[in-house]
Every structure is written in structure tokens, then in C-alpha cells.
Amino acid sequence: MEETWANGLDLHLDVSGTRPRAQLEGALRDAVRDGRLRAGTRLPSSRTLAADLGIARNTVAEVYAQLVAEGWLTAHTGSGTSVAEAQGTLPHGPRPATPAHDPRRPRYDLRAGEPDLSAFPRGPWLAAARKALAAAPDAALGYGDRRGLAVLRTVLAGYLARARGVAADPAHVVLCSGFAHGLAVLSRALRATGVSELVMEEYGHHSHRVIASSNGLAVRSLRVDDDGAVPDTSAEAVMLTPAHQFPLGMTLHPVRRREFAQHGGVVIEDDYDGEFRYDRQPAGAMQALAPDNVIYCGTASKSLAPGVRLAWLVVPPRLLDPVLAALDGGPSALDQLTLAEFIASGAYDRQIRRARLAYRSRRDRLVAAVSPLGLRVGGIAAGHHGVITTSESPVLERAAAHGIALEGLSQFAHDATATQAGLVIGYARPPEHAYTTALARLCALLADGRRD
Amino acid sequence: MEETWANGLDLHLDVSGTRPRAQLEGALRDAVRDGRLRAGTRLPSSRTLAADLGIARNTVAEVYAQLVAEGWLTAHTGSGTSVAEAQGTLPHGPRPATPAHDPRRPRYDLRAGEPDLSAFPRGPWLAAARKALAAAPDAALGYGDRRGLAVLRTVLAGYLARARGVAADPAHVVLCSGFAHGLAVLSRALRATGVSELVMEEYGHHSHRVIASSNGLAVRSLRVDDDGAVPDTSAEAVMLTPAHQFPLGMTLHPVRRREFAQHGGVVIEDDYDGEFRYDRQPAGAMQALAPDNVIYCGTASKSLAPGVRLAWLVVPPRLLDPVLAALDGGPSALDQLTLAEFIASGAYDRQIRRARLAYRSRRDRLVAAVSPLGLRVGGIAAGHHGVITTSESPVLERAAAHGIALEGLSQFAHDATATQAGLVIGYARPPEHAYTTALARLCALLADGRRD
């Protein structure tokens, strides 16, 4: 387990001089920097550390606050202060070809695909877990229904109808361990029903193509223009991001939605960030247009955190058996019970409302920050990212040199026709305290670019 | 979420007569029986209900205790009393061909494969979750390492070395969502490395064969005799249950272990109940004999509960990349953090020690109960089940008619040579309060059988 630092004296902090606050600040910074205090280590309460060191509690509290503001420490309501994760963890994309061996996390991460992990509602989630586990029957902890627990499928069906306009019968909801897992299951299921090819938007995650093809489907690209994906009536199966094309960001045009929904092939609707609509009415799920044709896919990866590994499919009845036959694994009953309670209690809605406000404000700040440079951010009516049209490689090279993680459109392009250049800015990922600096650095980079 | 019954008056319980205790008992029984009180519904505290009804708190407490003893209600330390799951949940085996639509749970369930779910340590698990989540860095909630969180892989490697003699490097531990998920992943990984056939013991779970074959492997049977599986040096890949053959229950002979470990093919070691050894020293994992050949598979499904959906593979280095390429899904970071804390704090060992004592006592009671009938229980040096050699079908037919769920050896036999008849008695599954009656009913059935 992450160690808890029980005793402030263990680190030989010397605050015996005349400026204990500055001494303590410097000593803690040093300890984090040189690894004596490792990421995730929990610090003693300000009261305990003050007693250990013989200084005022307020002094310690002020030092903690300062170091949190600087990003060295992280504070969680109700669970104290710990060393921030900036330096030494093991994150990487959802499906790398080989295991990662401790890549360093960049100092400012503006890649799309992950929400602000520091905003995960740890306290409310634990409260929901406690309540759910107290009420759950023993049988909920058994092997159970392969679709997932009835209580969560029922609550989700209600939520999806209300929030996304999905026509969802709890009997046709299937829970899985994140969207990548769901896509693997769906690929195998489609293969088993005789589908040989999945048509995917020419811009998208490379990892999704790997999943489809390693699970038996050929992949062909679908053109994307300003109205979203261009309908292809010859497709047996299509995967779309209708509410917010990833990464370009447009909404699929209503006429095209209908064409896709009714053209006869199976549609996998990847509604990865459908809850995060800012400027207009939410674009409801296209699944409602053709529940017999469209497999709706939602996820908690953006609304809560990818680590929760919870996603949901709403499956047309005729595909339910093949999907269940292709399903292996699935989320834990404990998390299922907790999410059901979390949604039913209104905590999920509150979390999304809070996150939506925060991300909308970040988006507005991004737009305002790059506007003086004559740059526009596209695809920002929803979600966690936007696209700045500019030449990619000079900016990306400088970004890497400056410890900023950035990605260009070309990294998501899969077809000869996909030739747009631009930066995909994930504005959700940095913790709140780091966003201002991340934005300033991005603007500096872009300004340098304008001078080239 | 499961509803909480906030107000005792909602059910119109009438306890205004002269025998409030008997009235309340009867009224609650009726309410559960006719569904007004649904499985999982949490009852008010005895204090609250007593106040609602204007009777003594002790009276309510006694009624609750009585109904818990009868199996109508379930009591959880620290989380009150709720309606038991006996009547209306959705459990079924791990991989049915089609989704189950609310089969009724039998009154006495003596099938193998599931531990006593009422023994899941809800309180300690929640405490571990709280501690783990307080200490975890934000990055732990991201997409993360595909093998699983480093903190859990490290703790597990230590645990497996200590408890099962596994040679485990955390870098080669891969977490998955239960053994069935692990077997699906391994089947795809073996297929990708050119293996075409998995040799499996002639007795075993039918579902495991379905997983292997639906993930691209042909399945061939391996003979099992009194010394366990008979080595087959022509196999490309073998799956074994060396510590406790499922379902026959013998330990694989040491000479055969060596033969399997060294014969060259890949061995999938299914160590499903290795922690539960009663009579001799634990039979360590065979993986230690040939870590380059053996994939060790352990699970929390028997030691905690299947609903936790957590299992672990220890993978030979040369197979790590194919396994990660075949991996989709996996357990949630929240559960991983919690299990790491649970193991590191000693709570996991305590839970296993407690369960081992309880199951050993159940086993002894089973042996003692059937002994006067001239019946012997085999395969009981370990685990959660034993085998009674007797003719199957008359007993199984009577069992079904009497609400006892039982399985015969023939349901686990997959080969012409697998002709043993017998009953597989899962003595772990009933909650403690129901075991005495379950055993009595089983003996009555068996006694009837002896008279046939």
C-alpha cells in the first residue's frame, strides 16, 4: 500500500531557525523532488506535524496550502494531504502494444481522453459504497447475471432515458469494464453473427482499430466532413461518435443520423462524452432512432474516472445472445452496487453538473487565451477537448522539449483523405491548480509558432 | 438502489394485540413471503421499529434474531438487518449460453463453486477501501498499466510467494476480472502464439471448455486417476487443477507435477482454492517448478466472493506480450487499491483463516453426518467441496423435488473414460445458519437412496 508518513521527524526536517515556514516549505519540496517523499505518500495532519516539529499548526497548514497550489501536494476533502502524482506513476493509453515500464508523466498534460482525475469524488463514492454494501443482499456478491446486477441495469436504464434519450430496457443493458472492453466484446459478437468488417470514422483512436481487428474484424475508414461522418450504405457495421466526433468535435448532422440509423447495418454508437454538452441542448443518443440497429455505448471513464472501468452497452434484442457469448470479465459487483447507489442518490448528476461547469470554464479560458494569437478552437460545443487548426510538427516538437504533452490531429488520422492538420487540446486532464500554467505554456508555444 | 424501509408503519403491521412478538414475527414473515418486503430491503433498526410500533425494543430485536435464524432476514455487523436473498435474485453459473431470466434460487444450495457469500467481510473491505482511496495518487484512477496497478501486483507477488510458493515478479503479474476472464484471455493469447489445442482434465467445469473453444482453441481431454491428471507429453498446452482436482478432489502426484512442469508444453495452473488446505501442509503451486512454462492463476472468487471479479495470472515472461495483447477489460482501480490494502494490512489472511476454520468444520460435519449411512466423502483434504460415491440420478431427482440444489459427477465429466458416479457436495455455499438443515436434508435424501 502507499505508505503513510506517520512521523514528521522521520524526514529530519529542520525548522529550528527563525523562519520555520520557509524552512518547512523548502524541506518538503526537496523531499518530494529527491524522492524521499514518494507520490501518493500521505502526509501527517497539520496538527500532528506541528506537534512533531514544535511549530504553530497554522504555519504547517499554510505550507501545505502553498505546496498544493504549486502542485507538489494534493489535498482531498476528508482524507488529508498527500504527495502529488506528477512524477512517478505508470499511466499510459488504453491499449499499448507492449507493457509500459514506468514512463514519466509529463509536467503539463494536454492530451485528450482522460478527465481531471483529481476531481474524482472520492468521499461521495465511498459514502455510496458504504450505503450500497449495507443494503445489498448476499446474492449480489455471487457470480450473478452476466449482464451485470439488475439494480444497476435498472438505474442506468432510467438515467440513460432521462439524460441521453436512450430507449433502454434494463434487460438489454450489458455492463462491461470500460469502452475498450465493450468494443472488444462487440467485435467478437459481430464476428460471430457473420459480420466481417467494421467501418470506422477516418479520425479516431488508433487503439479502437487495434481492438476491432485483433477481435476478428477488418477495418475500413469512413470519410468525415463538417457534418460528421458521411453515410455509407454498404457497411455491415459502423462505429460512430455522433454527439461529438472524436477528435474533430462536430455533431453528426440530423439527416445523417437518420441515414445511418436506418441504412440497415449495425451501428456502434460511442457516446463517450455525451453528458458534457455546453452550448446547446444536449444532442440525444441516436440509438433512440433505431433501437433495433444501434448499440449504444456509454462510460463512466469521462464522467468519473477511467480507473472505475465501468461502461454500459444497450444492445438490440437480436444481438443480446451473441454479445453475452462474447463477454468475458465485467465490472465488480461492489462497483456496480456503488454506481447504482451513486446514480440513484443524485450524486452522479451532481458530479456531472460540477464537472460540466469546471470544464466549460476551462474551455472558455482556452478559447480566450488563444484568441489574441489569431487562433480559433473548433469542436468545442461539448466534451473535454478542442481542435486548434495550425501546423502540427513544429509545435509538437517544442511541446515535448518543454514538458507539455500534446497530440496532433495526424495522430488520430487513418486514411489518405484525412489530411487536416491541428492540435487536439485536452483541457480536462490537468488538475485545476495546474491548468493556468498549462494554458500559459501552451500559448507561449503557439506564439513561438506564429513567429516561425 | 435497494430500498430502505424508513418507516415501520408503511407495511401496516398490526401489533396491537396481546402477543406483539408473535404478531410481528408473523407479519414480517408474511411481508417477505408475499413480496411486500423485497430481497435486499433494509429493515429499520430495532430501536426505530419499536418506536414506530409502540412496543419494546427487545421484542423487535428478538423477532429479528428469530427471523435471521430462520433465514428470512440477514444481519450484517454494523449495517443492520435486511431481507434475505433466498427468493428473488438472479444468480446462475459463470457462463450460461443465454441470459437467465430470474431463476429461483433453491432453498438449500449444495452445489460446488461458490463460497458462503454471507461471510464476505463487508466492514473490513469498506475500511480498506476508505484507507486505500485516501492514500491513492490521482494517477491510480487513470487508464493505467494494463497489467493492473503496480501496488497490487507488488503486494500480490509477495502474498503468492509466501502463501502459495509462487515465483512471482510483480512485472509478470496480470490482473483480470475473475478466472473465467483470465482463461478467455489466455486462450486467445495461446492461439496467437500458434497453439491450437488446450488439453483439459476429463472432469471439470463445462464452462471452462466453452471459454477455451469459443476463444479459438480445440479442446481434448486428459485422463484423471487417483494420482490426478495423467501426463500427456504431446500436449502443446494443458490446463490443470493440481492442488485440488475439480471436482474429484485429489492432489496431483509430485512425480506427475514434475512431468507436467517439464514436458515442454504450457501449463495453465488453476489454483482456484489453494488457500483452503485442511489436513496436510498446503500443496504449493506447481508454477515454482517451471516458472517459464506454467501460468499460475489465482482468484479472490473463493477467498472473498465471485462478485469481486478479481483474479491474477503470473505469466512466463515470453508470454507476457501476447497475454497483454489479448487482454480486454480488467478489474477496477478502486477494487485493486482496496485489495492491495486488504492484503497488506493482514485482513486478507485473517479472512482466509476464519473461512478455513469454518469450512473445515463444515467438512467434518458432512463426513460425520453421512458416515452412519456407510458413505464416505472423498477429495476433502482441501477446498469447498467433497465427492460422495453413490448412484447419482435417483438422489438428484429427489433432491430437485425437495428444493435442494445438488450436482453429480456426471455433470462435470467430458470423456468416455470419465464414468465415475457420485455427488459433488459444495459444503461452503449455504449461509452458516442454513447448513445444519441442508445437511439434515441431504442425509435424509441419501438414507432414502440406501433404502431403494
Side-chain angles (χ1 to χ4, degrees):
Chain A
M1 207 49 266
E2 304 299 332
E3 64 190 282
T4 299
W5 178 34
N7 184 340
L9 302 175
D10 287 345
L11 286 173
H12 308 291
L13 300 174
D14 180 6
V15 293
S16 58
T18 52
R19 300 175 56 233
R21 183 181 158 157
Q23 279 186 288
L24 180 58
E25 247 185 49
L28 285 174
R29 249 191 235 104
D30 288 349
V32 174
R33 193 184 286 119
D34 66 27
R36 277 172 296 151
L37 274 178
R38 289 184 300 165
T41 301
R42 198 172 162 192
L43 296 177
S45 71
S46 54
R47 182 194 301 275
T48 305
L49 183 57
D52 281 348
L53 300 176
I55 60 179
R57 185 182 172 187
N58 262 2
T59 305
V60 178
E62 285 163 14
V63 168
Y64 278 11
Q66 176 62 30
L67 295 177
V68 166
E70 291 176 20
W72 298 93
L73 305 180
T74 311
H76 297 292
T77 315
S79 57
T81 306
S82 56
V83 178
E85 34 64 78
Q87 313 293 337
T89 46
L90 297 160
H92 53 69
R95 283 193 77 99
T98 52
H101 296 296
D102 198 359
R104 302 244 133 190
R105 185 159 262 225
R107 194 143 179 76
Y108 298 98
D109 195 341
L110 289 172
R111 293 173 298 168
E114 206 169 77
D116 177 2
L117 300 174
S118 74
F120 180 78
R122 299 186 186 208
W125 183 264
L126 282 167
R130 180 168 297 276
K131 200 168 162 209
L133 206 46
D138 289 331
L141 305 176
Y143 281 104
D145 192 297
R146 301 192 63 222
R147 294 167 292 183
L149 291 178
V151 59
L152 178 55
R153 289 186 285 109
T154 304
V155 168
L156 263 176
Y159 170 78
L160 292 174
R162 167 168 65 79
R164 304 294 303 127
V166 173
D169 176 341
H172 304 143
V173 174
V174 176
L175 296 164
C176 50
S177 308
F179 174 73
H181 181 226
L183 180 57
V185 170
L186 292 176
S187 299
R188 293 196 290 272
L190 290 174
R191 189 78 198 83
T193 61
V195 170
S196 59
E197 185 184 65
L198 181 62
V199 179
M200 301 175 91
E201 294 166 330
E202 62 184 348
Y203 288 92
H205 286 289
H206 179 64
S207 59
H208 292 168
R209 295 182 169 233
V210 173
I211 292 171
S213 61
S214 66
N215 284 284
L217 297 178
V219 173
R220 178 158 60 86
S221 279
L222 195 62
R223 284 219 46 215
V224 177
D225 65 20
D226 289 348
D227 287 333
V230 180
D232 172 349
T233 51
S234 73
E236 297 171 286
V238 186
M239 178 170 135
L240 299 171
T241 48
H244 191 223
Q245 204 283 331
F246 187 87
L248 295 173
M250 72 286 284
T251 307
L252 185 62
H253 192 281
V255 172
R256 293 193 175 175
R257 291 182 155 232
R258 273 196 302 279
E259 275 185 72
F260 275 115
Q262 292 158 2
H263 87 296
V266 175
V267 177
I268 299 176
E269 177 175 22
D270 176 9
D271 194 38
Y272 64 106
D273 65 1
E275 283 97 345
F276 296 91
R277 191 91 203 165
Y278 305 125
D279 293 337
R280 295 177 265 157
Q281 283 299 333
M286 66 176 278
Q287 182 263 5
L289 295 176
D292 287 338
N293 250 1
V294 179
I295 304 165
Y296 174 86
C297 310
T299 177
S301 293
K302 317 299 177 201
S303 54
L304 291 169
V308 179
R309 292 268 181 108
L310 252 163
W312 37 88
L313 315 175
V314 182
V315 180
R318 70 190 162 95
L319 291 174
L320 190 57
D321 277 349
V323 166
L324 291 177
L327 183 67
D328 50 17
S332 89
L334 307 171
D335 290 334
Q336 291 184 53
L337 291 166
T338 303
L339 182 60
E341 168 63 27
F342 204 72
I343 296 174
S345 71
Y348 189 70
D349 284 55
R350 280 193 293 280
Q351 172 67 16
I352 287 176
R353 212 150 44 226
R354 201 181 303 121
R356 196 191 284 130
L357 284 172
Y359 293 142
R360 182 183 174 144
S361 144
R362 290 188 185 200
R363 178 200 68 158
D364 293 346
R365 288 162 67 194
L366 170 65
V367 171
V370 303
S371 158
L373 302 170
L375 294 171
R376 217 189 121 265
V377 191
I380 53 171
H384 298 155
H385 73 275
V387 174
I388 297 179
T389 305
T390 181
S391 63
E392 289 182 20
S393 15
V395 182
L396 294 179
E397 275 160 28
R398 276 195 304 274
H402 286 75
I404 305 187
L406 265 188
E407 288 171 319
L409 271 182
S410 58
Q411 285 160 275
F412 301 100
H414 303 285
D415 209 55
T417 57
T419 55
Q420 296 185 51
L423 302 172
V424 180
I425 310 290
Y427 49 78
R429 201 189 282 238
E432 195 61 41
H433 65 81
Y435 186 60
T436 305
T437 316
L439 214 49
R441 298 221 172 182
L442 173 68
C443 288
L445 274 185
L446 291 169
D448 283 355
R450 306 304 275 180
R451 282 195 297 273
D452 283 352
Chain B
M1 207 49 267
E2 304 299 332
E3 65 190 281
T4 298
W5 178 34
N7 183 341
L9 302 175
D10 289 343
L11 286 173
H12 308 291
L13 300 173
D14 181 5
V15 293
S16 58
T18 53
R19 300 175 56 235
R21 184 181 158 156
Q23 278 185 289
L24 180 59
E25 247 185 50
L28 284 174
R29 249 191 235 103
D30 288 347
V32 174
R33 194 184 286 117
D34 66 27
R36 277 172 298 150
L37 275 177
R38 289 184 301 165
T41 300
R42 199 171 162 192
L43 296 177
S45 71
S46 55
R47 182 193 300 275
T48 306
L49 184 56
D52 281 348
L53 300 176
I55 59 178
R57 185 182 171 187
N58 263 2
T59 304
V60 178
E62 286 164 14
V63 167
Y64 278 12
Q66 177 62 31
L67 295 176
V68 166
E70 291 175 18
W72 298 92
L73 305 180
T74 311
H76 298 291
T77 314
S79 57
T81 306
S82 56
V83 178
E85 34 66 76
Q87 313 292 338
T89 46
L90 299 158
H92 53 68
R95 281 193 77 98
T98 52
H101 297 295
D102 200 359
R104 302 244 131 190
R105 186 159 260 224
R107 196 144 177 75
Y108 297 99
D109 195 341
L110 289 172
R111 293 173 299 168
E114 207 169 78
D116 176 2
L117 300 174
S118 74
F120 179 78
R122 299 186 185 208
W125 183 265
L126 282 167
R130 179 168 297 274
K131 200 167 160 211
L133 205 46
D138 289 331
L141 304 176
Y143 281 105
D145 193 298
R146 301 190 63 223
R147 294 167 293 184
L149 291 178
V151 58
L152 177 55
R153 288 186 286 110
T154 304
V155 168
L156 262 176
Y159 169 77
L160 292 174
R162 167 168 65 77
R164 304 295 301 128
V166 173
D169 176 340
H172 304 144
V173 174
V174 176
L175 297 165
C176 50
S177 309
F179 174 73
H181 180 226
L183 180 56
V185 170
L186 292 176
S187 300
R188 292 197 292 270
L190 290 174
R191 189 77 200 83
T193 62
V195 170
S196 59
E197 185 184 65
L198 181 61
V199 179
M200 301 176 92
E201 295 166 329
E202 62 184 349
Y203 288 92
H205 285 291
H206 178 64
S207 60
H208 292 167
R209 296 183 168 233
V210 173
I211 292 171
S213 61
S214 67
N215 284 283
L217 297 177
V219 173
R220 178 159 60 85
S221 280
L222 195 63
R223 283 220 47 215
V224 177
D225 65 20
D226 289 348
D227 288 333
V230 180
D232 173 348
T233 52
S234 74
E236 296 173 286
V238 185
M239 179 170 133
L240 299 172
T241 48
H244 192 222
Q245 205 282 331
F246 187 86
L248 295 172
M250 72 287 284
T251 308
L252 185 61
H253 191 281
V255 171
R256 294 193 176 174
R257 291 182 154 231
R258 273 195 301 279
E259 275 185 70
F260 274 116
Q262 291 157 4
H263 88 294
V266 176
V267 177
I268 298 176
E269 177 175 22
D270 176 10
D271 194 38
Y272 64 106
D273 65 1
E275 283 96 346
F276 294 91
R277 190 93 202 161
Y278 304 126
D279 291 338
R280 295 177 266 156
Q281 284 298 333
M286 67 177 278
Q287 183 264 5
L289 295 176
D292 288 336
N293 251 1
V294 179
I295 304 165
Y296 173 86
C297 310
T299 178
S301 294
K302 316 299 176 199
S303 54
L304 290 170
V308 179
R309 292 267 181 109
L310 252 163
W312 37 89
L313 314 176
V314 182
V315 180
R318 69 188 161 95
L319 291 174
L320 190 57
D321 277 350
V323 166
L324 291 178
L327 184 66
D328 51 17
S332 90
L334 307 171
D335 290 334
Q336 291 183 53
L337 292 165
T338 303
L339 182 60
E341 168 64 28
F342 204 73
I343 296 175
S345 70
Y348 190 69
D349 284 56
R350 280 193 293 280
Q351 172 66 16
I352 286 176
R353 214 150 42 226
R354 201 180 303 121
R356 196 191 284 131
L357 284 172
Y359 294 143
R360 182 183 174 144
S361 144
R362 291 187 186 199
R363 178 201 68 159
D364 294 345
R365 288 163 66 193
L366 169 65
V367 171
V370 303
S371 158
L373 303 169
L375 293 171
R376 217 188 121 265
V377 190
I380 53 171
H384 297 156
H385 73 276
V387 174
I388 297 179
T389 306
T390 180
S391 63
E392 288 181 20
S393 13
V395 182
L396 293 178
E397 275 160 27
R398 277 195 304 272
H402 286 75
I404 306 187
L406 264 189
E407 288 171 319
L409 271 182
S410 58
Q411 285 160 275
F412 300 100
H414 302 287
D415 209 55
T417 58
T419 55
Q420 297 185 50
L423 302 172
V424 181
I425 310 290
Y427 49 78
R429 201 188 283 238
E432 196 60 42
H433 66 81
Y435 186 60
T436 305
T437 316
L439 213 49
R441 298 222 171 181
L442 172 69
C443 288
L445 275 184
L446 291 169
D448 284 355
R450 307 303 275 180
R451 282 196 296 274
D452 283 352

